[in-house]
């Protein structure tokens, strides 16, 4: 009887230890995802500031934002580079 109670107690402790380890792993993953999200938000804010600085007309700004939303950061950066090239060619 005592052996059975000790086994049950050890099993409960083992289950609690496993649950605690899983909780710690989940907390680590949550922290990692939060950091990735903060990095993403910072990049987006920087890109939006670049859009406002580079685009001359509201139409260009809207186009850049649409590209950012629908096609992503890389496509938006490519569009902004093309806008800069066109501006430099027009100023020559």
């Amino acid at each position: 009887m005592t052996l059975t109670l000790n086994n049950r107690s050890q099993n409960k402790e083992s289950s609690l230890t496993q649950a605690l380890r899983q909780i710690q792993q989940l907390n680590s993953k949550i922290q990692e995802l939060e950091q990735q999200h903060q990095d993403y938000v910072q990049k987006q804010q920087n890109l939006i500031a670049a859009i406002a600085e580079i685009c001359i007309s509201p139409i260009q700004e809207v186009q850049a934002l649409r590209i950012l939303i629908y096609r992503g950061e890389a496509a938006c950066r490519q569009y902004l580079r093309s806008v800069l090239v066109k501006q430099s060619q027009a100023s020559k």
Side-chain angles (χ1 to χ4, degrees), residues 9-65:
S9 177
Q10 286 177 350
N11 286 343
K12 283 183 181 180
E13 186 175 323
S14 175
S15 295
L16 288 174
T17 303
Q18 287 176 348
L20 182 58
R21 189 177 316 114
Q22 288 175 341
I23 289 170
Q24 289 170 337
Q25 289 172 345
L26 287 172
N27 282 337
S28 294
K29 186 64 176 176
I30 288 169
Q31 288 175 343
E32 181 183 331
L33 290 172
E34 285 176 342
Q35 184 60 49
Q36 288 175 359
H37 176 70
Q38 288 299 323
D39 293 344
Y40 172 79
V41 167
Q42 185 63 44
K43 282 182 180 179
Q44 296 300 312
Q45 288 174 340
N46 291 343
L47 195 53
I48 290 171
I51 289 170
E53 187 177 322
I54 293 169
C55 295
I56 296 172
S57 72
I59 293 172
Q60 285 177 334
E61 287 185 24
V62 169
Q63 182 65 21
L65 290 171

